[in-house]
Amino acid sequence: MSPAPVPGFVASADAEAVTDLLRAQLEGLPARSPFYADLFAEHGIDASAFGSLADLARFPFTGKQMLRDSQAAQPPLGRHAGVAMSEVVRVHASTGTTGRPSWVGVTRRDAGAWTELVARAFRTMGATRDDVVLHGAGLTLFVGGLPIRDALERIGSTMVPIGTGASEKAVLALESLGVTALHSTPSYARYLAEYLRAAGRDPRGFGLRKIFVGGEPGGGEPAFRRQVEQEWGAPVTEGLGNADMAPVLFAEQPGSGGMRFTGGRHVVAELIDPESGEPVGAEPGAEGELVYTSVDRECCPLVRFRTRDRVVVTGRAADDAPLIRCIGRTDDMLIVLGVNVFPSAVRDLVVALHPRTTGAVQIVLPEHGPRVDPPLRIEAEWGEAAGDTEQLGREIETAIRTRLSVRAAVTLVPPGSLERAEMKSRLTRLAG
C-alpha cells in the first residue's frame, strides 16, 4: 500500500510547528477527554502512532452523531469537551439536519485563536480597516455572528451589526452610513436585493464594493454568484467554516477562482473519499469531503471531524496553495437511481435562466431522502421574461437531464410563491 498523502492544506512553512503542536494535543487528549480515551482505545491507537502529519490518517474519524451522543451522556458540553464549564467564556451551537442544538464551548484562548484565523480569512476576502461592513447575520448562537464581529474589529473595519429580520434597518444603514461591504449568507444577499427592488430601489445605487458570503453553499455556484454580483454591482468572495471547528477556515482572494485554507497553525484540514474514508490528494480536479482536526483547541478538541462538506479542488494559487469550491453537503445529497444530486446544483441551473426565472427553486420530496425515485419533482418560479412557461419547464428538465443525469418533472409557479429566507435557503421540502 502506498503511503497516505500528507494533508494538502497545511502550508509547508507551518508543517513542523503544526506537527509539534498536534503531537502535544494527541498526547494529552485522553486524560482531558473521556470520549477520546475510549475512542482511541477502541481502535487500538494512541499518540505514539503519530510521527508526522501523514500519520493522522491512522486515527479514527469523529462524526456529528458521536458528538450528540457524547453530550447526551454528559451534558452540557459532552464527554469530548476537554475542559470544565468554568473555563468556557462563550457557547455557540450548530443545529445540523435534526434541528437539535449541538453545543460548542470556547475558552478565552480558543476565542483568541478564532479571532486570529477569522481575521486572516476576511483579510484574504478583501476586508480592510477602511471598510464599513453591514453584517447581515445574527449575533446569536450562530458562529457567523460574534466571532465575525471580533475579527472585523481586529482588522479595524467599521461593523454595522444589523443581523437578520431587520431589512428596513439594513436599508437605513445603506442610505446613511457609507456602507462599502455586505457580509451575509448568499441567501440574504439575494433576499436583500429583492427587498430593495420590491421597494422600488436599485441595489446598485448604494455603491457597495464588496460582498462577503458564507454559511451555506451558493457563493461558489457560478450562476447564483453572477446574479448576486449583477444585482449589487459588486464582486462576491466567499468563506467556508464549520461551527464545531471554527467559523471560517477557507477564504477566497478576489479573482483567485477558489478558496484557500486560512486556518494557519490551529487546524489541519484533510480531503477524504466520502464513501471509503481514504485520503484524497488535494490536486486540481479532485473531489472529496473535508475533515478537520484541531491542533491546539482547549474546549471541544476534535480529531478527524467529518464535516460533510463536499468540495472540489479548482486549482492552485500563485504560491501553490490548493483552491477549493464547496459543491454541497453529503447529508443534503439526494440519490436518484444511483446518481448523486446536490440541491444547490439544481438551483444553479435554474438561476442560470434568469430573468426567465427568478432563481427561486425547491425540490419536493415524497419522503425523507437521500434516495428518491425519478422523476425528481421540482418547483421553480417563472421570471419577468419567462415567455412560454411550458417551454421553459421543458428546458429546465432538459438541462437537469443533460447536466445532472437525472430525470426531472418541473412545475413553474408565479414569482413570490416559494419560501424566501434571510439566513439559509431551504432547497428541499416534503410533499403535502
Side-chain angles (χ1 to χ4, degrees), residues 63-111:
K64 185 69 173 181
Q65 188 57 48
M66 295 165 70
L67 300 185
R68 294 188 187 281
D69 293 343
S70 168
Q71 292 191 347
Q74 188 174 305
L77 296 181
R79 300 177 72 244
H80 62 283
V83 298
M85 193 68 161
S86 59
E87 299 297 316
V88 173
V89 298
R90 193 168 68 223
V91 173
H92 289 279
S94 63
T95 55
T97 55
T98 68
R100 180 178 175 81
S102 176
W103 303 113
V104 181
V106 181
T107 68
R108 191 170 304 281
R109 193 179 83 178
D110 294 338

Side-chain angles (χ1 to χ4, degrees), residues 27-384:
E27 288 173 349
L29 195 53
R32 295 197 294 127
S33 168
F35 172 88
Y36 279 110
D38 291 348
L39 185 64
F40 288 179
E42 177 186 342
H43 288 266
I45 199 165
D46 59 33
S48 65
F50 182 80
S52 68
L53 289 176
D55 293 325
L56 190 56
R58 301 171 64 183
F59 285 76
F61 293 114
T62 303
K64 185 69 173 181
Q65 188 57 48
M66 295 165 70
L67 300 185
R68 294 188 187 281
D69 293 343
S70 168
Q71 292 191 347
Q74 188 174 305
L77 296 181
R79 300 177 72 244
H80 62 283
V83 298
M85 193 68 161
S86 59
E87 299 297 316
V88 173
V89 298
R90 193 168 68 223
V91 173
H92 289 279
S94 63
T95 55
T97 55
T98 68
R100 180 178 175 81
S102 176
W103 303 113
V104 181
V106 181
T107 68
R108 191 170 304 281
R109 193 179 83 178
D110 294 338
W114 275 16
T115 300
E116 175 192 327
L117 62 87
V118 176
R120 183 186 301 117
F122 270 82
R123 288 191 186 100
T124 299
M125 289 189 285
T128 72
R129 70 185 318 275
D130 296 323
D131 280 313
V132 178
V133 183
L134 193 157
H135 179 74
L139 295 176
T140 55
L141 292 171
F142 179 47
V143 295
L146 290 169
I148 306 301
R149 178 205 65 184
D150 294 345
L152 289 173
E153 290 180 357
R154 170 73 63 86
I155 293 169
S157 303
T158 302
M159 183 189 183
V160 185
I162 295 296
T164 58
S167 294
E168 72 287 349
K169 291 185 175 64
V171 175
L172 182 61
L174 288 167
E175 290 174 334
S176 57
L177 291 178
V179 172
T180 64
L182 169 66
H183 169 245
S184 70
T185 62
S187 293
Y188 186 66
R190 188 173 69 174
Y191 176 95
L192 184 57
E194 289 187 349
Y195 181 91
L196 288 166
R197 289 202 177 279
R201 310 290 296 276
D202 182 355
R204 300 171 69 96
F206 292 99
L208 283 191
R209 298 197 294 270
K210 306 167 186 178
I211 300 175
F212 310 129
V213 299
E216 65 173 355
E221 297 167 19
F224 190 97
R225 172 178 288 218
R226 281 195 301 273
Q227 185 186 38
V228 172
E229 290 182 335
Q230 289 168 2
E231 285 279 27
W232 288 100
V236 170
T237 53
E238 67 169 340
L240 175 68
N242 175 271
D244 293 283
M245 185 57 64
V248 192
L249 286 164
F250 284 84
E252 177 184 10
Q253 188 172 6
S256 65
M259 296 178 284
R260 63 182 297 145
F261 182 64
T262 51
R265 299 183 179 187
H266 297 294
V267 177
V268 173
E270 299 175 78
L271 196 63
I272 67 164
D273 183 302
E275 301 299 328
S276 70
E278 291 298 312
V280 174
E283 301 301 327
E287 290 189 22
E289 177 187 344
L290 285 174
V291 171
Y292 295 141
T293 297
S294 54
V295 172
D296 56 357
R297 185 77 168 267
E298 290 184 325
C299 189
C300 304
L302 302 181
V303 176
R304 304 199 78 202
F305 177 70
R306 295 192 62 161
T307 66
R308 303 298 179 185
D309 286 328
R310 185 78 168 260
V311 303
V312 59
V313 181
T314 59
R316 290 190 176 272
D319 62 357
D320 206 37
L323 301 175
I324 67 166
R325 290 283 187 214
C326 184
I327 56 176
R329 290 184 53 81
T330 58
D331 50 8
D332 290 340
M333 185 179 71
L334 303 174
I335 303 173
V336 185
L337 288 183
V339 177
N340 297 341
V341 178
F342 290 98
S344 57
V346 174
R347 175 177 63 183
D348 198 48
L349 290 177
V350 174
V351 172
L353 293 170
H354 179 78
R356 297 175 66 199
T357 70
T358 67
V361 61
Q362 280 193 334
I363 298 171
V364 183
L365 302 175
E367 57 188 19
H368 289 289
R371 300 194 181 279
V372 182
D373 292 329
L376 194 64
R377 292 177 53 195
I378 296 167
E379 290 186 0
E381 291 181 359
W382 71 68
E384 59 185 19

